[in-house]
Amino acid sequence: MKLILLGAPGAGKGTVANMLSEIDGSVQISTGDILRAAVKEGTELGKKAEGFMKAGDLVPDELIMGIMKERLKEDDCKNGYLLDGFPRTIPQAEQLQAMLEEMGEKLDAVVNLDVPRDVILDRLTTRRTCTSCNAIYNVKSKPPKVEGVCDECGGEVVQRDDETEEAISSRLDVYNEKTAPLAGFYEKEGMLMTVNATSSDAVVAAIKDKCGLAA
Ligand code: AMP
């Protein structure tokens, strides 16, 4: 499967990508995870991205395209990929299209995960993330077995810096202004599939159906 997962922060892109990846081996590529790892390691990329991320702003397109040009050429992308959090602006989408054309590749679909704002706010303020393997938890619906410790890898489970109420509100504004227009962009291309994403299981079922994967 080669998919773009579109949707506001907290719409469940990461969860859905994870579930799909287990089904058919497509690799999940999250630009947010790549950037957080770079910040943690203190690389040049991380130093450039950190301020934007903490403020809930987008990292400049040039940096993101630099990452993705390399990432999509890696071997594990041959089995398919699930783009989670990329593209996030029209220029990123245009450059991705040019890149895919050059590589002779075609996406199966662009899935727009539609979730009401109040559900998103609740999900994000209660979300916790493993700093080592990026596993996602929720203090209400899916807490780790031991508080603060990842069930998968034993890493530290924390609230992300950009998941304070102030940063979340800014991220949602940025989403509405810069990323939401991508739905129109891909609709014109005839690639958009919008799904009610209140339940991740229902989203996965709809995508499997669309992509012809066995139930
Ligand atoms: P995410 O985990 O996808 O919500 O991303 C966390 C943060 O990383 C975002 O709020 C942005 O600051 C940055 N980021 C991730 N992906 C992109 C992208 N495609 N374009 C610009 N900034 C990004």
Side-chain angles (χ1 to χ4, degrees):
M1 256 182 293
K2 292 190 179 115
L3 294 183
I4 292 176
L5 297 167
L6 271 186
K13 301 184 294 294
T15 305
V16 167
N18 232 305
M19 290 162 81
L20 290 171
S21 170
E22 278 180 17
I23 294 169
D24 87 332
S26 303
V27 64
Q28 173 183 5
I29 302 179
S30 154
T31 39
D33 286 350
I34 294 171
L35 291 167
R36 276 186 290 279
V39 170
K40 202 170 152 192
E41 286 162 22
T43 64
E44 272 311 299
L45 169 68
K47 284 182 199 146
K48 287 182 188 156
E50 190 170 14
F52 296 103
M53 294 172 75
K54 271 207 173 133
D57 284 335
L58 291 184
V59 170
D61 289 339
E62 311 81 71
L63 287 182
I64 300 293
M65 293 316 299
I67 298 172
M68 290 308 291
K69 273 187 186 135
E70 296 306 315
R71 184 65 189 89
L72 286 176
K73 285 184 198 144
E74 285 179 29
D75 269 357
D76 59 353
C77 290
K78 298 211 162 68
N79 298 329
Y81 41 79
L82 309 159
L83 303 183
D84 159 8
F86 169 83
R88 248 179 162 103
T89 63
I90 299 275
Q92 288 181 20
E94 287 169 347
Q95 290 179 58
L96 172 64
Q97 264 187 340
M99 236 162 82
L100 292 175
E101 248 168 57
E102 214 179 288
M103 293 164 73
E105 292 188 5
K106 204 174 168 303
L107 296 170
D108 294 304
V110 176
V111 186
N112 188 20
L113 277 63
D114 188 27
V115 182
R117 190 180 168 105
D118 56 330
V119 176
I120 287 202
L121 281 174
D122 184 58
R123 274 189 195 171
L124 285 181
T125 48
T126 53
R127 180 155 87 173
R128 301 292 180 267
T129 307
C130 173
T131 55
S132 297
C133 74
N134 299 308
I136 293 169
Y137 296 92
N138 185 289
V139 289
K140 288 191 201 158
S141 59
K142 193 193 166 204
K145 290 189 187 99
V146 178
E147 198 185 324
V149 181
C150 180
D151 296 349
E152 309 287 332
C153 76
E156 194 188 1
V157 174
V158 299
Q159 181 167 32
R160 278 168 38 178
D161 282 349
D162 63 355
E163 287 180 351
T164 59
E165 278 201 50
E166 200 187 342
I168 289 167
S169 156
S170 160
R171 284 165 70 202
L172 289 176
D173 290 345
V174 169
Y175 175 79
N176 287 334
E177 187 194 333
K178 307 237 170 86
T179 309
L182 289 183
F185 177 91
Y186 286 114
E187 187 155 40
K188 266 194 219 138
E189 303 285 322
M191 295 166 80
L192 191 74
M193 166 188 179
T194 295
V195 283
N196 176 332
T198 312
S199 144
S200 299
D201 287 328
V203 175
V204 169
I207 294 172
K208 278 165 75 176
D209 197 37
K210 161 96 182 172
C211 294
L213 294 175

